[in-house]
Amino acid sequence: GIRIKAELGLNETEFGLLVATPILTGSLIRLPLGMLTDRYGGRVVFFIHMVLVAIPTYGLAFATQYWQYLVIGLFVGLAGGSFAIGIAYTSAWFPKEKQGTAMGIFGVGNAGSAVTNLAAPLLVVAFGWRMVPQVYSIALLVMAVIFWFFTFPDPKLEERRKKKNFPTIGQQLAPLADARVW
């Protein structure tokens, strides 16, 4: 972000909005992604999610104007919702007494920011900052394909399909009536 700020000559407010845009999208998309995961299963939703996030991530390397960064940031922010998909998908494979451990292991697998702190500066120095989104988007597409071929629909989804018993939107939103959820 610092290089983009300098390249475009952004003031603090513009830079703050640029940084906040993907965070906002990631926050707002979590509930809908969780609902889609309950309905269609984590495998399908996660695969589509990875492909859809890879596209704007790649496009980031070609943005040149502030509005382009803002729009791309909205879509790159979809990545922030991946945790909602992964937690629902992971927990479906384990009994309640083992879900905490399974989700903890899944959480450790989300250590991408640590990898970014190590790898991104090396890419920036060697090839320039615009190479970072290109490499990351290609890595994301590769992971999407690997994920698709080495995973299975979760058992809870298969059970819902057999019984044709999918949660309604009202049932999915019901926990929001509890103040503790907020």
Side-chain angles (χ1 to χ4, degrees), residues 99-115:
Q99 285 181 354
T101 302
M103 289 186 283
I105 292 168
F106 170 77
V108 170
N110 276 288
S113 60
V115 173

Side-chain angles (χ1 to χ4, degrees), residues 11-170:
N11 63 38
E12 294 302 318
T13 303
E14 291 168 326
F15 182 65
L17 182 61
L18 182 67
V19 173
T21 300
I23 295 168
L24 177 64
T25 304
S27 298
L28 294 176
I29 199 66
R30 287 181 182 168
L31 182 61
L33 284 175
M35 293 171 68
L36 287 170
T37 301
D38 284 347
R39 179 76 168 111
Y40 299 104
R43 181 174 183 247
V44 170
V45 175
F46 221 161
F47 173 76
I48 292 169
H49 179 262
M50 285 189 268
V51 171
L52 289 178
V53 169
I55 295 166
T57 301
Y58 190 82
L60 184 60
F62 304 99
T64 58
Q65 298 178 17
Y66 183 63
W67 70 269
Q68 293 169 333
Y69 286 107
L70 286 175
V71 171
I72 290 170
L74 282 171
F75 291 100
V76 168
L78 295 175
S82 66
F83 200 75
I85 304 166
I87 287 294
Y89 181 65
T90 301
S91 68
W93 290 95
F94 298 92
K96 288 194 185 296
E97 59 273 1
K98 294 190 179 189
Q99 285 181 354
T101 302
M103 289 186 283
I105 292 168
F106 170 77
V108 170
N110 276 288
S113 60
V115 173
T116 295
N117 287 337
L118 176 66
L122 298 174
L123 286 171
V124 170
V125 169
F127 303 105
W129 79 264
R130 292 186 185 274
M131 182 59 73
V132 175
Q134 292 177 32
V135 169
Y136 275 56
S137 63
I138 291 167
L140 188 55
L141 286 174
V142 168
M143 287 309 301
V145 170
I146 290 170
F147 180 79
W148 183 256
F149 286 110
F150 290 97
T151 59
F152 305 94
D154 67 72
K156 288 184 181 178
L157 175 66
E158 294 301 308
E159 186 178 307
R160 287 191 301 267
R161 280 184 179 156
K162 285 179 188 173
K163 295 179 181 179
K164 296 191 187 301
N165 184 20
F166 294 98
T168 65
I169 292 175

